[in-house]
Amino acid sequence: MLSFLKRSKSAAEPPSLYQQLGGETGVRKLAERFYDIMETDPRAHDLLAIHALPLTAIRQKFFEFLSGWLGGPQLFVEKYGHPRLRQRHLPFRIDVKLRDQWLLCMYQVLDEQVEDPLVHMQLKQRFTALAHHMINTD
């Protein structure tokens, strides 16, 4: 009887954004495309300029962060501890211009890769809030 209740409870839980994006494959695809856009879109020039090249390591870290942030495995936390995103980004001057460039890249990824309108909206809201939170200078 208890195993039936456990199954019923977990069956009622909605899938995480991580799962809705296709798990590891979908989240990695999202992270990779984000940096592809940043590297090739001249409108993201200033954002690209604050990143060390090549972007191989940061692509992996972003995937690991997104994995846990979207409800999947806590890969980033397991390797590096709590993300403390704002603190980790303090060495960089993040203003409205950089926020907007970051969102430009992220919104394009969402438009290209997320077909479900509800998931698209949820992700856009979460990424927008995250980007606003990262601003550390006028």
Side-chain angles (χ1 to χ4, degrees):
M1 180 84 161
L2 288 178
S3 64
F4 171 77
L5 290 174
K6 287 181 184 175
R7 274 198 310 259
S8 296
K9 183 180 177 190
S10 68
E13 292 177 16
S16 66
L17 289 168
Y18 177 86
Q19 292 166 323
Q20 292 180 70
L21 288 170
E24 179 181 350
T25 302
V27 173
R28 185 174 298 281
K29 184 178 170 188
L30 188 146
E32 290 292 331
R33 182 65 183 135
F34 173 84
Y35 282 101
D36 290 345
I37 294 165
M38 188 196 319
E39 283 186 295
T40 59
D41 191 324
R43 296 172 297 172
H45 176 271
D46 297 327
L47 180 63
L48 178 62
I50 69 168
H51 289 79
L53 299 176
L55 297 174
T56 310
I58 195 65
R59 285 173 180 261
Q60 178 64 23
K61 280 186 177 180
F62 190 48
F63 159 71
E64 292 165 351
F65 166 75
L66 287 178
S67 176
W69 191 70
L70 295 170
Q74 295 291 323
L75 305 173
F76 188 94
V77 173
E78 291 169 7
K79 274 188 177 178
Y80 308 104
H82 189 283
R84 294 182 179 91
L85 289 181
R86 196 166 159 87
Q87 180 181 353
R88 289 179 193 267
H89 287 81
L90 282 176
F92 308 100
R93 286 182 43 96
I94 300 174
D95 57 12
V96 171
K97 184 178 179 181
L98 283 183
R99 177 208 58 199
D100 290 350
Q101 289 182 23
W102 193 92
L103 286 172
L104 172 90
C105 299
M106 185 51 68
Y107 289 170
Q108 183 173 333
V109 172
L110 296 177
D111 290 347
E112 290 176 5
Q113 296 184 3
V114 182
E115 294 179 18
D116 182 291
L118 180 59
V119 174
H120 187 282
M121 180 195 69
Q122 290 172 329
L123 289 170
K124 191 170 186 178
Q125 288 175 341
R126 289 190 70 192
F127 282 122
T128 300
L130 179 64
H132 286 294
H133 175 70
M134 299 304 295
I135 295 173
N136 62 21
T137 191
D138 293 335

